[in-house]
Each structure stands twice: as C-alpha cells, then as structure tokens.
Amino acid sequence: MNLLIARCRTDGHLTDVRIRDGRVTEVAERLRPARDEDLVDARGGALLPGLHDHHAHLLAMGAAERSVVCGPPAVNDAAALRAVLRGAADAVPAGGWVRGTGYSESVAGLLDRTALDGMVADRPVRLQHRGGALWILNSAGLAAVASALDDSLDVERDAAGHPTGRLWRYDVRLRAAIGAEPPDLASVGERLASYGITGVTDATPDLDAAGLELIGTAVLGGRLRQGVQLLGAATGTPLAPGLSSGPYKILLRDHDLPGLEELAGLIDRSHRAARPVAVHCVTRESLLLTLAALEIVGTCEGDRVEHAAVVPPEMCEHLAAKRLTVVTQPSFIATRGDTYLASVDPRDAEHLYPYATLLAHGVPTAPSSDAPFGDPDPWRTMAAAASRRTPSGRVLGSHERVAPGVVLAGFLSPPHSPGGPPRRVAPGCPADLCLLGEPVEAALARPSADQVALVLRAGKPVFQR
C-alpha cells in the first residue's frame, strides 16, 4: 500500500510524507500525489513514529480479558470480592474455572484456600495478585491441579505440609495443568494499536514453546498488529518473522532470592552468549543483589533493570556508573499509590518508581506499562508521570515528576535502546507511524489516546478513528 500523508507535522515542521513498500521514502514541504497512492490529509496533526511499550506481558493481557477484575478501583472490600467471584462462578458450567485478576490485600487481606472457599467452594477458583507473581487457589482449584504441585518454595504450605493455596510464579505450570484455552491476542493488538503502539517488548520470563508459537503465529497472521521483542525466549531459539530477541530476562523471586554467585553465573552465561540481561528488581534487596552480581561479572551494552521500584539516590550513582538502563512504570503511582503509602516501608516511599532522579544521574530511563498488571495506555502513563498523584489525589514523590514530552520520547526510543534518542520520521525508516489529530504540543498539554487518529504498521492502517 502506497500513501501520501499531507500537511502533517514532523519535528515541528509542516510537511508531506510519502510511504512506499512499508517505508517512508520522502519527507518534504510539498509533494505531488502519485496516481498509485492514497492521500491522507493530516490537517496539521503530528506524525510520530509508532510508540513502543518497553515492558508488557502479551499472553497475560489476553488471558486477563477473560477474567473478572478483583481489585481496586472496581472491587474494594471482601463483600464486593465475594459478589464478583460468586457471580462469575454462577456463569460457568460445573467444573469450569473462575479466573480473577488484580487482587490487592487492601480488599480482603492475605487470602488463602480457606478464605476463598468461604466465597466460592463449588467451582475451582484461581485469583491472581495484581503484582502478577502470586496465584491464590481455593480447595477445588488445588484438587484440580494437584498433580502439578511440586515441593519447591513456589508452593506455600502450612505447618502440616498442606498447600495453603498460594502459588508463586506458577503461570506456565497452571496453564498446562488446567488446559486453558489460548488467549486471544487479536483483541490485545487492536487495543494497543488504538493507543498508537506499533511495537512491544514482551517481558514474560522463560517463554515455553507453546507461548512462543502463540505470539509468533499471531504476529505472522496479522492478528497481533505490533512488532514484538522477546525477553523470555531462550538464547538461540529460532523466532518467527516479526519477532526478535532482546536482553535475557532474569526474574528475581523476592520470596526466594538466588545467592550472589548463582545470579552472577546467570548473568555471566548470558553475556558470554553475547546477550545482555534484563533483571527484574522490585525491592531494595533485589536491586542491591543485582548491582553486587554485576560488580563481579561486569556489564555489557544493553544490560537493563526492569521496574527498579525502589531506588535510593545513592543507588542511582551505581546504576549510572555501570551504564545500566532502567525500564520503569510511572502509572503504578496513579493506580497503586495509596496502597504503597499504607504498606511500603516509610524509608522507601520517597524512592518509589523514580524517574527524574534517574535522568538527573544520567541513567537512560524508559517508560512502560507492565500490562496487564499496569495501565496499558501510554498517554495515561504520560499524565501519571507528570502528576505523581495517587488515586486519592495525594502526591507521591513530587521530585520525581517529569514532563509528558519526556515520557513520550521514552515511548519513541528504539526497542533495542530504551531511553535512548527517540526515533524520527525520516526517509528510509519503517512506516510504523502514529498520526495525531493535533500538533504534539497540544496533545501533550492534555495527554489522551483520543488524539490518536491513524496508526500504520509497515505502511498499512491498523487503527483509524
């Protein structure tokens, strides 16, 4: 498909942009339309490279669409949780599973099998904590997956050795035991495209063959409308067209952190395979452990820290010295900030999800969603980073505010260099583009996905308002 986008703003200038064979071929003040191309009048709207979400979980996003929301702001107390789960249980046939997501202890405390049995006992229930790491099953659910329960610390047990229903990092094992239907990635792709997103870094750790096939087939068949970089594909794994491998994801389980030598060995093996690492760090302890391991084995270009949820200022200096990149999630302050204020160690509250401090120390920092555990809308993320307001309106870490334009630049940074110089619309670049309905300055004054007018992937429309 050949296109001429007329009267669009690129780098602040009013230009025309010609697209042929999936690439931008010309950018000039005035271009004459050719007979074999369609004309789009941008009416002065900004034409940007497509946005890239630097950390999301595509399969979990698809699965979440078939789940009931069990946490704030939709569900805020035990009575509401019971009603939601009971309603979902009544809607599924006998033996069918109830799948809930987004649970927070602020709703009904620390749940286990007994607590869930008091809400739903006649259907198997699996409830995912909003952090994504913890699944909570009722007794019927535990009985249904009994053969998949191992003796690792991932299966919490009581003093008598019986499973409590709390399972850590059990996604793959649960999916295999339940035989759940594959998630629909077409709807995920449509939703992301409506935000102007043309690329995603999937941060699911240790992707198995089934997960790789699901994502690869969806991209190849056009159901998933984004290019995908994978952090969880094993080094050397053949990938389908449209997929690429990024840094190797190392998941640090906060309930069972590895020893220093073990982590250093994991990083070293990845480096020796010429692959940087992306280390999951959501606590002060996990970040300290990661920095200590990198002190032993050294860093390589492209090493990054995922989340960096707690970063005291002195650690910023170490991140900068080691030339590490941070991929953060500003929207968590907007969605979880009040819970953080009530539950996080006070000494860490002012250092949650830093942004401005990291940039001030010269640490390349890029925004992301962590969807479905965070808000997938990048425009709401821009607003959240600028306000740092919690759901109740309190400001958490005002010194970490950054302007929406800084966050947009992060979403425009390349997949292989998050936080690096933003991509530009220029001859030769892929025609993965996002056209806004107004100039970028006006769009950033009130960030909203409603301003996305047209999205192209390889020169073909994948969303149009």
Side-chain angles (χ1 to χ4, degrees), residues 121-146:
D122 59 335
R123 297 285 190 277
V125 175
R126 53 177 171 146
L127 179 59
Q128 189 178 41
H129 189 274
R130 69 179 183 184
L134 174 66
W135 284 97
I136 311 163
L137 277 62
N138 67 353
S139 294
L142 285 172
V145 300

Side-chain angles (χ1 to χ4, degrees), residues 10 13 26 125 134-135 168 174 232 261 282 312 330 370 391 398 402 432:
T10 59
H13 303 291
E26 291 182 84
V125 175
L134 174 66
W135 284 97
W168 296 89
L174 278 180
E261 290 187 3
V282 296
D370 197 27
S398 61
V402 294
D432 299 342

Side-chain angles (χ1 to χ4, degrees), residues 63 66-67 92-100 123-128 135-149 165 167 170-183 208:
R66 297 204 304 264
S67 306
V92 300
W97 279 80
V98 174
R99 188 184 194 277
R123 297 285 190 277
V125 175
R126 53 177 171 146
L127 179 59
Q128 189 178 41
W135 284 97
I136 311 163
L137 277 62
N138 67 353
S139 294
L142 285 172
V145 300
S147 62
L149 302 181
L167 309 178
Y170 236 75
D171 300 70
V172 173
R173 287 167 284 186
L174 278 180
R175 189 163 60 241
I178 294 169
E181 265 186 57
D208 59 7

Side-chain angles (χ1 to χ4, degrees), residues 197-287:
I197 294 174
T198 60
V200 175
T201 293
D202 183 271
T204 307
D206 301 320
L207 272 170
D208 59 7
L212 283 170
E213 183 177 4
L214 280 171
I215 296 174
T217 301
V219 171
L220 195 59
R223 296 194 310 282
L224 186 60
R225 305 174 180 193
Q226 288 74 31
V228 179
Q229 177 178 249
L230 301 168
L231 303 186
T235 300
T237 302
L239 298 177
L243 304 183
S244 63
S245 62
Y248 177 63
K249 175 76 175 283
I250 297 178
L251 175 65
L252 297 186
R253 304 164 187 255
D254 295 302
H255 70 289
D256 185 25
L257 287 173
L260 177 58
E261 290 187 3
E262 180 184 353
L263 178 56
L266 284 172
I267 295 172
D268 187 54
R269 283 193 291 277
S270 188
H271 285 179
R272 288 179 182 274
R275 190 174 180 186
V277 294
V279 188
H280 169 105
C281 296
V282 296
T283 62
R284 180 190 293 253
E285 291 75 19
S286 59
L287 182 55

Side-chain angles (χ1 to χ4, degrees), residues 39 101-103 160 162 168 284 316 343 360 388-389 393 397 413 420 452:
L39 179 65
T101 60
Y103 181 74
H162 303 303
W168 296 89
R284 180 190 293 253
C316 293
S343 61
R388 299 283 298 193
R389 290 194 178 277
S413 61
V452 176

